[in-house]
């Protein structure tokens, strides 16, 4: 796949401008994207959720999922939000359940269509009561 990414300017930049710069340089494949982001992110300039957002906008859901899962594990709500956007509901369920975020499980229930996942969510919600 191709993701357009621009090299950031030489001057110091804010986190959000660094993330927007990610969009304009051409990268071929996930390995090259990973290498580029790791180089640029050594200073923490590019939040993973902004990278995920750019990938989602470009219909690169598989790559987006990798960066969603790199978001700080203490921010399960963000991870679940982005996983819902790319329809990775099983993974969203697993993260919400492992963090015991039952409110997130309740939010998932109305949008899930897979019967086994519906049953798993209902079972988890019943077990907490």
């Amino acid at each position: 796949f191709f993701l357009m990414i621009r090299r950031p300017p030489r001057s110091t930049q804010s986190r959000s401008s660094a993330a927007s710069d990610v969009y304009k340089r051409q990268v071929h494949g996930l390995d090259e994207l990973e290498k580029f982001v790791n180089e640029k992110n050594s200073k923490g300039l590019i939040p993973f959720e902004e990278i995920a957002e750019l990938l989602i906008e470009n219909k690169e859901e598989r790559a987006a999922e990798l960066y969603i899962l790199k978001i700080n594990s203490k921010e399960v709500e963000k991870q679940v939000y982005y996983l819902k956007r790319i329809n990775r509901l099983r993974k969203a369920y697993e993260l919400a359940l492992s963090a015991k975020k039952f409110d997130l499980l309740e939010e998932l229930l109305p949008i899930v269509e897979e019967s086994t996942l519906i049953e798993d969510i209902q079972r988890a919600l019943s077990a907490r009561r």
Side-chain angles (χ1 to χ4, degrees):
F1 76 92
F2 296 98
L3 178 69
M4 298 301 289
I5 297 180
R6 177 170 35 116
R7 291 178 205 257
R10 300 255 185 255
S11 63
T12 304
Q13 57 189 204
S14 70
R15 290 172 61 129
S16 61
S17 66
S20 64
D21 289 340
V22 167
Y23 184 63
K24 301 224 171 118
R25 178 178 164 232
Q26 194 171 46
V27 171
H28 307 277
L30 289 176
D31 292 337
E32 190 175 337
L33 175 64
E34 182 79 14
K35 181 180 175 195
F36 175 80
V37 169
N38 287 341
E39 287 171 6
K40 299 301 173 196
N41 231 21
S42 64
K43 296 177 184 170
L45 291 176
I46 309 171
F48 291 127
E49 55 266 34
E50 292 191 32
I51 298 167
E53 184 70 44
L54 292 170
L55 290 164
I56 291 168
E57 288 173 11
N58 286 285
K59 310 285 189 249
E60 296 291 344
E61 287 87 3
R62 193 179 76 133
E65 183 176 359
L66 297 174
Y67 286 94
I68 291 166
L69 297 176
K70 289 183 179 201
I71 295 171
N72 187 325
S73 61
K74 293 178 181 174
E75 298 185 80
V76 175
E77 292 85 359
K78 277 186 187 178
Q79 291 176 313
V80 168
Y81 165 77
Y82 285 109
L83 288 167
K84 287 185 337 189
R85 288 191 53 204
I86 61 171
N87 204 30
R88 299 297 200 276
L89 302 179
R90 171 64 66 181
K91 191 60 162 173
Y93 157 77
E94 291 168 359
L95 288 174
L97 183 62
S98 67
K100 297 184 182 345
K101 298 282 188 178
F102 297 105
D103 56 324
L104 295 176
L105 292 178
E106 289 173 350
E107 289 176 18
L108 284 174
L109 200 51
I111 61 173
V112 171
E113 295 178 3
E114 179 192 333
S115 60
T116 57
L117 184 52
I118 291 169
E119 291 169 7
D120 290 345
I121 293 171
Q122 289 173 333
R123 191 172 17 262
L125 290 172
S126 295
R128 75 160 172 170
R129 292 180 184 139

